[in-house]
Amino acid sequence: MTSTQKKRWNWHQIMIIVLLLQQQWSHQLAEENDTLRQKVKELELHIEALRLRSCFGLKRFEGSDEDIRFYTRFHSYDHLMAFWRLIEPATSRMIRVTSVAREASASVAEKTTANRSTKLLPIDELFLFLNYLSTGCTQRELGHRFNIHRTTASRIITTWANFLYCVLGAICIWMTPEAITANLPPEFKDYADTQVIVDCTELRCQTPSSLVLQSEVYSHYKSHCTFKAMIGMAPHGPLTFVSALYGGSISDRELFRLSGIIPLLSPDMAVMVDKGFRVENLVPGKLHRPAFRSNNNQMAAQDVLETQSIAWLRVHVERLIRRVKENKLFDSVIPLSISGSISQLFTVACILSNYQNGPLVKDWREHQSQVEI
């Protein structure tokens, strides 16, 4: 082998070695690149987790049904999302509450932009509103939680109260007698004509400075200033009627007359009430009410049994009211600063109870399942 051939051979060996080294380095770089990409993904997930922890929103609690129940009264995240899918299409037509100064100075384009979006996502605004009902915390606390101004939280609450009041209020919750009969629990066999069970509830409110207003909202039953409403329930559990809020001084009879339930009743519909409802001449049909003891005489045995039976059935409307008052906003003293929207807030909370909760009595659910089969 000549010297020229040896040089060519050595050069060929060198090229082979260089190519092998390049392949080895390329493989090492590819492995390092994959490792770095994996670390970047892990860091991104960690940053997202930290962001969710620092941001008080619905995504932060989607993995905890217990927290969802506490902050929204819905049983689970999936349950809440099912409700969101029902109302989401209507949110595009939502009319937002804005400040007077901003409304007066903003142009048409700016108003449209203001009505379209806020700092929070629409679903987080709903979460804020449900949080307000469920926990009863102040608007300042909500502002700190959601990192927004207190007045912005107030406007979101008012906006969603009006929006849900219109959207949910447009759905007819009053049931036909045929639907009531089809879902009638066996416990109501002796009162099969019952269309609705009604009862009143009161919300304690801040005492007004005006003596005239004090006389209108003062409740002798509660020995406090209150707002008063009447709730109606179908025999199998769902809420089918809710009145507006009135001053606590109003009687049960007067509230029944003004509530708007009378036009919904017909002679074939019976109403189940408590003793305080002296509405015999207001109801077009039959009235199921516990008997009164007269002239200090002992009540007849038949009246005692009927009273016990009606009281045992009527107690479920009190359980329904308790569900509504699980929203801590209504379990505390209502400040007069929200008196302008408290009727909408209470009505929305009542109607939401039909979406948030299951049957009042498990046996009724099992009975209904058997009927459907």
Side-chain angles (χ1 to χ4, degrees):
M1 182 179 294
T2 63
S3 59
T4 303
Q5 290 176 336
K6 288 181 179 179
K7 289 180 180 179
R8 289 178 179 176
W9 176 250
N10 291 337
W11 178 250
H12 182 67
Q13 288 179 329
I14 291 172
M15 290 298 296
I16 292 174
I17 292 172
V18 169
L19 290 174
L20 291 174
L21 289 174
Q22 286 180 345
Q23 290 179 354
Q24 184 177 1
W25 291 339
S26 177
H27 182 68
Q28 290 177 350
L29 290 174
E31 289 182 349
E32 291 179 0
N33 190 32
D34 292 339
T35 302
L36 291 174
R37 286 183 177 179
Q38 184 64 30
K39 288 183 178 180
V40 168
K41 289 182 180 179
E42 293 176 356
L43 289 173
E44 287 177 347
L45 293 174
H46 184 63
I47 291 172
E48 180 66 16
L50 291 176
R51 187 186 69 80
L52 289 176
R53 289 179 184 176
S54 62
C55 177
F56 195 91
L58 183 60
K59 276 290 184 181
R60 177 177 177 179
F61 304 104
E62 65 177 341
S64 174
D65 289 342
E66 183 179 354
D67 287 331
I68 292 295
R69 175 66 177 170
F70 176 77
Y71 287 114
T72 70
R73 309 312 307 165
F74 280 88
H75 277 291
S76 66
Y77 177 78
D78 293 338
H79 197 175
L80 174 58
M81 293 307 297
F83 174 75
W84 168 248
R85 287 189 290 271
L86 290 176
I87 65 170
E88 183 181 13
T91 57
S92 60
R93 300 186 297 273
M94 180 188 296
I95 300 175
R96 295 188 174 275
V97 176
T98 57
S99 65
V100 176
R102 181 178 182 180
E103 189 72 16
S105 61
S107 64
V108 175
E110 289 173 341
K111 289 179 184 179
T112 304
T113 303
N115 283 342
R116 186 171 60 250
S117 63
T118 60
K119 183 177 180 180
L120 299 178
L121 295 173
I123 193 169
D124 282 330
E125 290 185 359
L126 173 62
F127 182 62
L128 182 149
F129 175 77
L130 295 175
N131 195 334
Y132 179 65
L133 291 179
S134 180
T135 64
C137 61
T138 64
Q139 295 170 0
R140 185 179 296 276
E141 289 174 320
L142 288 174
H144 291 317
R145 287 182 180 181
F146 289 87
N147 194 27
I148 57 178
H149 196 271
R150 175 184 60 82
T151 56
T152 302
S154 175
R155 291 169 194 156
I156 290 175
I157 291 168
T158 305
T159 296
W160 276 87
N162 295 335
F163 170 72
L164 291 176
Y165 182 79
C166 293
V167 172
L168 299 181
I171 302 172
C172 181
I173 59 175
W174 183 260
M175 302 182 68
T176 62
E178 293 76 17
I180 295 292
T181 302
N183 295 279
L184 193 71
E187 290 80 2
F188 279 83
K189 61 182 179 180
D190 295 332
Y191 304 95
D193 57 350
T194 301
Q195 172 72 20
V196 63
I197 309 168
V198 300
D199 197 9
C200 290
T201 185
E202 298 186 56
L203 310 177
R204 292 163 61 92
C205 70
Q206 185 180 355
T207 303
S209 58
S210 169
L211 295 178
V212 176
L213 292 178
Q214 283 186 34
S215 64
E216 291 182 359
V217 298
Y218 185 79
S219 170
H220 291 280
Y221 179 70
K222 294 290 185 179
S223 299
H224 200 279
C225 293
T226 65
F227 297 120
K228 191 172 184 179
M230 190 180 77
I231 287 179
M233 183 193 82
H236 60 291
L239 176 113
T240 58
F241 182 84
V242 55
S243 74
L245 286 173
Y246 294 85
S249 63
I250 193 172
S251 65
D252 291 347
R253 173 185 169 84
E254 186 67 9
L255 179 52
F256 187 91
R257 187 180 69 83
L258 297 176
S259 65
I261 195 174
I262 297 176
L264 301 175
L265 301 172
S266 60
D268 60 333
M269 297 179 183
V271 181
M272 186 173 288
V273 297
D274 198 7
K275 288 183 178 181
F277 286 83
R278 308 299 296 267
V279 293
E280 296 87 347
N281 58 339
L282 298 179
V283 177
K286 192 174 181 180
L287 190 68
H288 297 308
R289 186 182 62 193
F292 283 90
R293 189 179 65 175
S294 60
N295 300 325
N296 294 325
N297 294 327
Q298 185 174 359
M299 190 179 296
Q302 182 179 357
D303 291 340
V304 171
L305 294 176
E306 183 180 8
T307 297
Q308 291 176 344
S309 178
I310 293 176
W312 183 74
L313 295 174
R314 201 197 60 80
V315 72
H316 294 298
V317 73
E318 297 179 2
R319 297 180 61 203
L320 177 62
I321 292 173
R322 186 181 65 186
R323 279 184 169 182
V324 175
K325 287 191 172 181
E326 284 179 352
N327 292 287
K328 301 302 182 184
L329 176 65
F330 310 119
D331 196 30
S332 57
V333 177
I334 305 295
L336 294 179
S337 59
I338 64 169
S339 59
S341 59
I342 187 60
S343 187
Q344 292 94 319
L345 290 167
F346 181 73
T347 301
V348 167
C350 289
I351 300 177
L352 279 176
S353 66
N354 283 343
Y355 297 89
Q356 294 168 326
N357 302 284
L360 283 170
V361 181
K362 292 182 179 179
D363 293 342
W364 295 358
R365 177 175 55 188
E366 295 172 357
H367 170 71
Q368 180 60 27
S369 300
Q370 294 173 0
V371 171
E372 292 175 353
I373 294 173

